[in-house]
Amino acid sequence: MVRYLILSFREIVKSSYWMGEKTRQTALEKAEKIVANLAYTSYMMDNVTAVNDEHRNFSAGNSFLLNYLNGRKFAAQVQGRRYANANQPTDWVTRNFIETGPAVINAFYSNTRNSITFPAGILQAPFMGSGYPYYWNFAAIGTVIGHEITHLFDDQGAQADGEGRLINWWDPQSKKAFEERAKTIIDQYSGYNLLGVQLKGANSQGENIADNGGLKESYGAYRMYRKQHLNDTEEPRLPGFETLNSDQMFYLSYAQVWCGDYRKQEVELQVNRPHSPGRFRIIGPLQNSPQFSHAYRCPQGSYMNPIKKAAVW
């Protein structure tokens, strides 16, 4: 599935005529070099004594504070040894010196490694399942994969090349076009209001760019997979949803991922965080998707099919 998402993103880049040719080719090369880390770090399974050996000099006591401080010190020492062995694309992402564990229900990207990481915790229901319809798997875990891919090309990720080096590979015209397109996302999300709280599009532009790109890539990947493996035919319809075709179910499955509710106090905090509230992680990308509007026959100019659409990728 990761490969289909990368291929889908590359197709988007190929049609991004707002980019200069050299910049577009560099973006395609960077996409091709993306490293995907899945489920767990390999050293845990390749060497059965590795974890015990690594923790041999760490001991825990009865003091929470001392355990916390010793744990941070130990984690910094482990990371220091790894940094001394050079930065590897297959190294797992760390947060506050703590390596992302396999039980974590989240996904990550690394600019300096040009990598994306999906722990085992998120590679299960409700994000994916071996018996789930393909449209569900692509709409749920597929958009998460696409989200992380897009992060490598958002306002922060675009500053690194395919080797993870922080160098400017954008020509001035392409960079200006990127910033202008990013502003359409900022303006769109700044116009949203939830429970009387106005969103701040500038705060969440990177995540919003990734949400929009992730949905577009996952739908493209799904149609690519369906054409190659399902002869581009409709998937069997689910009981209770017989009136919805596979494309409609794809977008319904996507919305289910971020479906939730908020108190006003939480919204006031959320607007200062990197992610938009779940409601607009659904509505924002869908409003920008012509494929969604076509699937659900949304009238042009309606709320879910505005004439003016925002996009970076």
Side-chain angles (χ1 to χ4, degrees):
M1 182 180 286
V2 172
R3 185 59 188 164
Y4 276 98
L5 266 295
I6 292 176
L7 289 174
S8 179
F9 178 76
R10 282 174 55 84
E11 290 302 311
I12 294 172
V13 173
K14 289 177 183 178
S15 62
S16 296
Y17 298 112
W18 52 270
M19 303 175 76
E21 183 60 30
K22 183 177 180 180
T23 300
R24 183 162 56 246
Q25 288 302 317
T26 304
L28 289 170
E29 292 169 6
K30 177 177 179 177
E32 194 61 29
K33 293 179 180 178
I34 293 174
V35 173
N37 300 314
L38 305 176
Y40 49 82
T41 180
S42 60
Y43 93 97
M44 295 178 64
M45 304 299 290
D46 293 345
N47 184 344
V48 294
T49 66
V51 176
N52 287 337
D53 292 342
E54 189 174 78
H55 290 74
R56 193 175 304 281
N57 296 322
F58 177 77
S59 59
N62 295 321
S63 169
F64 173 83
L65 177 60
L66 290 179
N67 285 340
Y68 174 78
L69 294 175
N70 288 336
R72 291 296 297 268
K73 179 181 178 181
F74 169 77
Q77 291 172 341
V78 171
Q79 290 303 314
R81 289 195 294 270
R82 294 185 181 179
Y83 291 149
N85 293 326
N87 188 33
Q88 301 297 326
T90 53
D91 289 343
W92 274 52
V93 172
T94 58
R95 290 291 185 270
N96 297 323
F97 295 109
I98 306 299
E99 186 174 87
T100 303
V104 173
I105 304 175
N106 209 333
F108 309 92
Y109 74 100
S110 171
N111 289 346
T112 57
R113 297 177 179 130
N114 194 34
S115 69
I116 50 180
T117 299
F118 306 96
I122 201 171
L123 301 177
Q124 59 179 333
F127 288 95
M128 65 176 295
S130 59
Y132 286 14
Y134 292 107
Y135 57 69
W136 178 282
N137 286 334
F138 275 95
I141 194 63
T143 57
V144 174
I145 296 170
H147 178 102
E148 300 306 327
I149 291 172
T150 309
H151 265 314
L152 295 171
F153 299 85
D154 66 10
D155 56 311
Q156 298 295 317
Q159 298 177 32
D161 68 1
E163 305 297 334
R165 298 171 298 190
L166 294 176
I167 62 175
N168 181 22
W169 49 276
W170 292 74
D171 67 77
Q173 290 76 21
S174 297
K175 183 65 174 177
K176 181 180 179 182
F178 179 96
E179 292 171 348
E180 290 173 349
R181 295 173 71 86
K183 189 176 185 304
T184 67
I185 295 287
I186 293 173
D187 292 344
Q188 175 190 7
Y189 284 80
S190 294
Y192 292 139
N193 185 292
L194 182 60
L195 300 178
V197 181
Q198 202 71 26
L199 270 63
K200 303 173 183 178
N203 286 2
S204 55
Q205 67 165 309
E207 296 297 337
N208 296 333
I209 290 172
D211 281 344
N212 279 265
L215 177 65
K216 188 174 183 179
E217 292 153 37
S218 62
Y219 179 74
Y222 170 60
R223 292 308 302 246
M224 193 183 304
Y225 182 90
R226 206 170 96 175
K227 183 177 181 179
Q228 293 181 6
H229 296 275
L230 304 178
N231 199 27
D232 206 18
T233 58
E234 287 282 315
E235 295 189 61
R237 303 202 176 194
L238 297 180
F241 296 90
E242 292 89 352
T243 61
L244 299 182
N245 61 37
S246 294
D247 281 357
Q248 291 172 321
M249 288 298 295
F250 172 91
Y251 290 110
L252 181 62
S253 303
Y254 168 73
Q256 181 67 27
V257 172
W258 301 118
C259 184
D261 202 0
Y262 284 84
R263 291 188 176 92
K264 183 176 181 179
Q265 294 90 333
E266 175 62 19
V267 178
E268 291 172 342
L269 296 174
Q270 188 66 42
V271 296
N272 293 305
R273 295 169 180 160
H275 295 89
S276 294
R279 176 181 178 86
F280 298 109
R281 298 191 74 175
I282 300 168
I283 291 176
L286 292 182
Q287 285 182 328
N288 293 328
S289 171
Q291 293 82 7
F292 165 78
S293 296
H294 177 75
Y296 278 92
R297 302 181 184 88
C298 301
Q300 189 175 28
S302 63
Y303 180 70
M304 292 305 296
N305 185 17
I307 295 175
K308 184 178 179 181
K309 298 184 184 299
V312 172
W313 300 106

